[in-house]
Amino acid sequence: MAALPPRPAPTVEAIYAAFEANAEDGFRVHLGASLIGKECQRALWFDFRWTTRADFSGRILRLFETGQLEEARIVRDLRRTGATVLEVDPESGRQWRVEAHGGHFGGSLDGVALGLLEAPKTWHVLEFKTHSAKSFAELKRQGVRESKPRHFAQMQVYLHLTGMTRAMYVAVCKDTDEIHVERVAVDPAAGEGLLVKAGRVINSARPPERLSTDPAWWQCRLCEHHSVCHDGAAAERNCRTCLHSTAIDGGWHCAKWDRMLTPAEQRRGCDHHLYVPDLVPGEAVDAGDDHVVYRLNTGATWIDGRAPC
Ligand code: SF4
Ligand code: SF4
C-alpha cells in the first residue's frame, strides 16, 4: 500500500484554516469586469446567478492575498519613477469604480496615472497582476492581448467606461520579481462588444449554451461550475437561482413577494425558492403556485418546492 503523504505542520494547517474560516462565499453582487473576458457565457451566467459557492483552499486564498499586497508596492514603484498615481478617486475617497447595466456590471480600477515615462501627458488606467514564471514568460513573448485575454478585456471595459484612451498593464513575476509593463490602447469595438456580452448574460433568464458538451474539454475541466453544468449537481439555493428573481435596474426583484431584495436577502433566499428550471437536470412536467414537478434524467420524479397535499 502506498504511504500517505506527510501532513503539513500544525502551524501551517492553522494558518491555512484561518484563511478558510475568513473566506467569503465568492458571490459577487455584480458581474465583474475581471470575469467578462471568460470565453464561456454560461460560466458567466453561473457566476452572476450564484450557482456555485467558492471553495478555495487556505493556501490558494493566501496566494490571492499575495497578489493584492503587491499592488501597494507597484504604486510605490511607479511613484518613484516620477508618475502621479491616484489609487482612489479624490472626489469620493474610494477606489475608482465603473458601472453599467443598471449597476449589475462593473469593476474597480487599481488606479489611474499621469506622468508615466512612456507617455507623460496621457492619463492611463492602471492594471496590476502577478504571474507565475510560466505565465510571465508567455506574457513577455505574446503580449497581454494574446496571452491574457481576460486581463485585456478587463482593461478595455475600464477604458470604455472611463473614456480614457490608454492603460498600463504592470505585471510582476512571483518567482523572480521581474517587472513587465505594457501600454494598451483603447479598442472601442472590443469595449462595446464586451458591454453587449455583459448585457446578454445579465438579462438572460436562462443559462446560455455550453462552451463544450464534452465534460473533459480543457476549459470545462478548469471551470468551477463543472459539476453544476455537466454532472447534474445541485446549484446553491439563494434568490439568484430562484425562478422568481430578475435583475432589474438598480438591483434584484422578487416576483413572488413583489419587492426588491438586498444582497443579504438574496444570499438567504426564502422557503418559497424554486430553481430556475434549467438548473434542474431533468424536464419540468407539472407545476403549481409553489412547486414544480420534474422528471429527472435518472428517471426519478422530483418535486421542487412545497408539494401539494
Ligand atoms: S463547465 Fe464548460 S460549458 Fe459549463 S460553464 Fe464551465 S466552461 Fe462553460
Ligand atoms: S421567492 Fe424567495 S427565494 Fe425566490 S426570489 Fe423571492 S425571496 Fe428569493
Side-chain angles (χ1 to χ4, degrees):
M1 197 172 81
L4 290 171
R7 278 185 62 182
T11 300
V12 174
E13 279 189 327
I15 290 171
Y16 291 159
F19 272 90
E20 287 161 18
N22 289 306
E24 294 175 355
D25 53 21
F27 298 150
R28 297 174 70 171
V29 172
H30 60 273
L31 181 64
S34 59
L35 301 179
I36 198 64
K38 275 187 187 181
E39 196 177 339
C40 183
Q41 294 193 27
R42 186 176 173 91
L44 286 168
W45 192 90
F46 286 154
D47 289 332
F48 186 57
R49 290 292 184 138
W50 295 357
T51 62
T52 315
R53 188 173 290 273
D55 185 23
F56 294 111
S57 68
R59 184 184 69 78
I60 294 294
L61 291 166
R62 192 171 185 282
L63 191 66
F64 293 158
E65 189 189 68
T66 300
Q68 289 157 10
L69 293 173
E70 188 64 21
E71 290 172 10
R73 288 181 75 199
I74 299 173
V75 168
R76 181 206 61 193
D77 294 344
L78 291 175
R79 286 185 176 142
R80 281 178 175 170
T81 71
T84 299
V85 179
L86 304 181
E87 298 161 272
V88 295
D89 179 347
E91 276 184 21
S92 68
R94 294 207 289 269
Q95 225 182 340
W96 299 92
R97 264 198 71 73
V98 291
E99 275 185 7
H101 296 304
H104 290 293
F105 179 56
S108 299
L109 283 63
D110 288 332
V112 300
L114 186 68
L116 293 167
L117 294 173
E118 288 79 358
K121 293 184 181 158
T122 306
W123 278 102
H124 286 67
V125 164
L126 293 174
E127 186 55 41
F128 307 146
K129 298 288 188 209
T130 56
H131 291 254
S132 68
K134 180 168 175 278
S135 169
F136 193 76
E138 280 168 12
L139 172 69
K140 282 180 32 177
R141 196 170 60 249
Q142 301 176 324
V144 64
R145 181 170 203 157
E146 192 68 26
S147 73
K148 290 288 161 194
R150 275 176 59 174
H151 298 172
F152 180 80
Q154 185 179 0
M155 286 186 281
Q156 289 302 331
V157 168
Y158 293 160
L159 289 168
H160 191 76
L161 293 176
T162 58
M164 290 193 217
T165 59
R166 294 289 183 276
M168 180 173 268
Y169 183 74
V170 184
V172 178
C173 176
K174 283 181 278 195
D175 298 57
T176 64
D177 247 330
E178 187 181 346
I179 296 171
H180 169 84
V181 301
E182 203 172 317
R183 291 181 66 226
V184 173
V186 65
D187 179 338
E192 189 57 44
L194 290 161
L195 264 286
V196 170
K197 181 180 178 183
R200 266 200 307 268
V201 170
I202 289 162
N203 296 316
S204 176
R206 305 182 60 183
E209 288 299 305
R210 291 179 178 84
L211 180 68
S212 171
T213 53
D214 178 3
W217 178 246
W218 70 273
Q219 279 147 307
C220 295
R221 276 192 281 115
L222 297 173
C223 179
E224 62 269 48
H225 305 297
H226 187 286
S227 57
V228 170
C229 181
H230 284 294
D231 302 338
E236 290 287 323
R237 267 182 193 275
N238 54 60
C239 291
R240 301 259 183 129
T241 60
C242 175
L243 56 76
H244 293 300
S245 74
T246 310
I248 62 172
D249 264 15
W252 283 79
H253 179 261
C254 169
K256 175 80 186 168
W257 304 117
D258 192 19
R259 68 175 185 85
M260 298 298 287
L261 301 161
T262 66
E265 287 170 333
Q266 292 165 38
R267 282 182 163 80
R268 271 199 307 277
C270 80
D271 290 346
H272 294 260
H273 179 280
L274 292 176
Y275 277 112
V276 171
D278 292 272
L279 292 173
V280 178
E283 184 193 359
V285 291
D286 193 15
D289 278 352
D290 250 348
H291 75 281
V292 182
V293 182
Y294 289 90
R295 184 175 307 115
L296 300 179
N297 294 340
T298 58
T301 297
W302 179 64
I303 300 174
D304 185 15
R306 291 155 185 253
C309 300

